[in-house]
Amino acid sequence: MPLATVRATFAAVVLAVLSACSQHPGASFDAAQREARDSFMIAAAHPLAAQAGQDILARGGNATDAAMAVQAVLTLVEPQSSGIGGGAFMLYYDAGSKGVQAFDGRETAPSTATPDLFLKADGTPMDFWDAVVGGRSVGAPGVLRMLELAHAEHGKLPWATLFQPAIRLAREGFEVTPRLHELIAHDKYLKTYAPARRYFYQADGSPLPVGATLRNAKLADTLEAVAENGAEAFYEGAIAGDIARAVRNAEGNPGKLTAADIAGYEAKQRDAICRPYREYKVCGMPPPTSGGATVAQILGILESFDMEAHAPTSADAVHLVAEASRLAFADRNRFLADTDFVEVPLEALLDESYLKRRAALISPRHAMGEAQPGLPAQQAAMPDQPSGASTSHFSIVDAQGNAVSITTSIEQAFGSRMMVRGFLLNNQLTDFSFRPEVDGRPVANRVEGGKRPRSSMSPTIVLDEDGDFVLAIGSPGGSRIIGYVAERLVAFIDWDLDAQAAIDLPNYTNRNGPTELEKNTAVTRHAEELRRRGHVLEVETMTSGLHAVARTPDGRLQGGADPRREGVVLSGVR
Ligand code: GLU
């Protein structure tokens, strides 16, 4: 069966199952009708996760409650992407105060980690995949501590209730989706360690087929312990002990994480980066992700251009977005890292007049080639790591008008490939620079004990002039996340596209290298023109996973799910 048919069949099955819900898998049907009456909405990467969130919202839970249920179910049904063995960033919009809070659940390096963690004996960097698979790349997980922090402040329904949908599904089983099957079938490393090998493959070694029922009693037990005894059950005691043991004993590539590192993990509240763009205010996540700052720089640079005058898939739009993005990435690669360890000149990087000067470097007709960072720097730039097929983003608006925008990740697809008690452990430490210094200068994002690796995750919330919620959006996609999100903010704000139409646009971006165009889309027709302007092009598959919820000026909710993945938008009335 061609993949499109599999997707359609899968969507039809899901649709039948969810007959009582409003749902649209990456395309709008009965949209106007639904939007008119809905008071809450959720967009997430898997129908069962979205449904768990929808049930919580329908029962009177709020966006934070729903987020917990969604994350717990994603751990089960989208194990390749995110989970309690990984980290996340969450932006929260409070309808009462109109404030935006940033919650940091990023993994931390073991306290004994040193800058040479990913160097071989001869002082050269390890091969990327040699670093990923095994214990070395595993950071102390942050997801549950982050949700605990957010729930303590904003949760309405009891903590234990929010794990029940995931526990039930883990015991009863869920169907392997086409995407999960494809990823299992093509993964070169998932058979490395017995727990994941036994879970994801059949006795004869073949990958679980599409539609196979997958049960996960171990995860159900883990979640039950967390439901009953709180996040402590994960961070202190037997579960943490098992994680540390697995990491330290990982055959071929042991790591340094200890039970004390896990017990000492702290989620943090940080100040969201909120900057004006046109008549809106765009709020993003501060370091240790580079997402919020880099998206803000791209928009700040584009503010100098009349983007409205260019069609979304025109050569001019691609050129300007690519050039702005190139400039922003030059600064990102040089300066951004965990601000608890490194001084990052955030204010200077986001200063309006600085961004105007950066914008003045853009010629409408000629690509500038490699951009240089715009501020004096003591540090060396960090080369980019490959983008994975992992990570997940979900957006939620509840009946009170609160909103949540969460990007959550175990880094590469299936993370470190190490599975403990039913969940996969992240490989997030490979988001550090493998080289501690370049040309004798330190790299800001070098490994240090207790530090958080630089991320690109860019959960975003947009507010209008009155401070009212307008849009929650984000995406997976490694460092391309930044471009995926920035392009959609321009689409939503300058091109006035609805959430789904914005997500459906072709992806195009530039990470201070080649201009990347999404294969088989409308923008590739400009290849010749863009080359004439001096762009080096790469035309490739760009699997974003954008999920958005928006509120229109007349108060209706509107959702968008990325057709490149398996996500859906669900909604309802409360
Ligand atoms: N680990 C990446 C980050 O934090 C996300 C990986 C992905 O989206 O593929 O930026």
Side-chain angles (χ1 to χ4, degrees), residues 465-531:
E465 280 164 315
D466 300 324
D468 288 323
F469 170 85
V470 174
L471 175 71
I473 192 165
S475 180
S479 54
R480 285 189 187 135
I481 291 172
I482 292 166
Y484 295 156
V485 171
E487 181 193 331
R488 273 38 181 230
L489 294 170
V490 173
F492 191 82
I493 293 173
D494 290 309
W495 298 325
D496 214 15
L497 295 183
D498 67 34
Q500 188 63 56
I503 289 172
D504 291 345
L505 281 181
N507 284 317
Y508 47 86
T509 187
N510 188 303
R511 295 176 285 168
N512 202 14
T515 294
E516 299 167 303
L517 305 179
E518 187 177 3
K519 214 169 168 172
N520 301 326
T521 65
V523 287
T524 58
R525 70 181 190 275
H526 303 304
E528 213 175 299
E529 167 62 19
L530 289 165
R531 283 203 186 94

Side-chain angles (χ1 to χ4, degrees), residues 106 387-391 409 411 428 431 454-457 476-478 481:
R106 184 68 162 171
S387 299
S390 166
T391 309
S409 177
E411 218 299 280
Q428 214 68 251
D431 272 2
R454 183 185 71 193
S455 169
S456 299
M457 293 193 274
I481 291 172

Side-chain angles (χ1 to χ4, degrees), residues 99-113:
V100 174
Q101 285 176 294
F103 292 93
D104 167 4
R106 184 68 162 171
E107 296 89 335
T108 51
S111 56
T112 58

Side-chain angles (χ1 to χ4, degrees), residues 170-187:
R171 295 223 185 277
E172 288 173 4
F174 68 100
E175 286 189 9
V176 171
T177 66
R179 180 168 171 77
L180 177 55
H181 165 77
E182 287 295 314
L183 289 168
I184 298 171
H186 294 112
D187 196 273

Side-chain angles (χ1 to χ4, degrees), residues 88-109:
F89 294 112
M90 164 170 165
L91 282 188
Y92 174 81
Y93 171 77
D94 190 80
S97 66
K98 298 189 179 182
V100 174
Q101 285 176 294
F103 292 93
D104 167 4
R106 184 68 162 171
E107 296 89 335
T108 51

Side-chain angles (χ1 to χ4, degrees), residues 309-395:
H310 307 292
T313 58
S314 64
D316 285 333
V318 176
H319 175 76
L320 290 171
V321 169
E323 294 295 279
S325 180
R326 196 195 287 283
L327 287 163
F329 265 80
D331 282 345
R332 167 196 181 268
N333 294 348
R334 184 66 63 110
F335 294 107
L336 285 172
D338 183 352
T339 38
D340 292 344
F341 283 75
V342 180
E343 210 161 315
V344 178
L346 266 185
E347 287 307 318
L349 289 170
L350 299 175
D351 178 72
E352 215 177 300
S353 58
Y354 170 69
L355 293 174
K356 278 212 174 82
R357 291 201 301 279
R358 297 291 273 169
L361 299 173
I362 297 178
S363 143
R365 306 303 303 169
H366 302 287
M368 70 182 72
E370 192 186 335
Q372 297 305 312
L375 298 175
Q378 302 306 315
Q379 293 136 202
M382 172 194 165
D384 235 338
Q385 315 289 20
S387 299
S390 166
T391 309
S392 205
H393 181 87
F394 55 96
S395 300

